[in-house]
Amino acid sequence: MKFTTTLFLALIFSASAQAEGDPEAGAKIFPRLCGGCHQVGESARSGFGPQLNGIIGRAAGTSANYVYSDAMKNSGITWDRATLKAYLKDPKGVVPGTRMIFWGLSDEEKLNNLLAYLQMFSAEP
């Protein structure tokens, strides 16, 4: 009985973790889809786009050393997984007037993996 309960709990937590995404897979996606404009990590700097350390939990348009569009600064968004997922699916639909040039990503697995990767560079769990 104890083994069955332990196995059941392990499967639940494993499924939950997979639903949230795989940060290792996200690390492979980031350079291809985001790395041309954004950086994350210890030495990340703003460039063509803002650095993304701490993006989850941060108010949109507030990263230091980057000049945001008025649309982003005035969006009223605080980035969490749900708002980032919606934005990455359709940036101009979520923040009309954004300067971000990105066609959008509709693949749920890739989105979850990318967000799990970005979560590694966030103060929020």
Side-chain angles (χ1 to χ4, degrees):
M1 175 79 166
K2 189 175 187 178
F3 174 75
T4 305
T5 302
T6 303
L7 179 60
F8 178 72
L9 290 174
L11 289 172
I12 289 174
F13 288 119
S14 175
S16 175
Q18 286 179 339
E20 294 296 317
D22 177 357
E24 288 182 29
K28 294 175 184 170
I29 295 168
F30 185 86
R32 273 193 351 256
L33 294 182
C34 312
C37 299
H38 301 280
Q39 295 181 11
V40 291
E42 191 174 317
S43 61
R45 297 175 298 139
S46 293
F48 192 71
Q51 60 82 20
L52 298 179
N53 291 330
I55 186 72
I56 297 174
R58 183 170 72 206
T62 61
S63 180
N65 301 318
Y66 187 76
V67 179
Y68 288 92
S69 66
D70 287 339
M72 187 61 72
K73 288 188 290 189
N74 298 321
S75 69
I77 293 173
T78 297
W79 298 117
D80 59 18
R81 284 184 68 99
T83 56
L84 278 168
K85 186 180 277 192
Y87 184 72
L88 291 172
K89 284 181 178 181
D90 183 15
K92 293 188 185 313
V94 173
V95 182
T98 183
R99 290 192 310 236
M100 184 159 141
I101 301 168
F102 183 64
W103 58 91
L105 177 62
S106 60
D107 184 306
E108 285 292 320
E109 182 178 6
K110 288 180 181 178
L111 280 166
N112 285 329
N113 293 343
L114 185 57
L115 291 172
Y117 177 67
L118 290 174
Q119 186 76 50
M120 293 174 42
F121 302 96
S122 179
E124 289 194 6

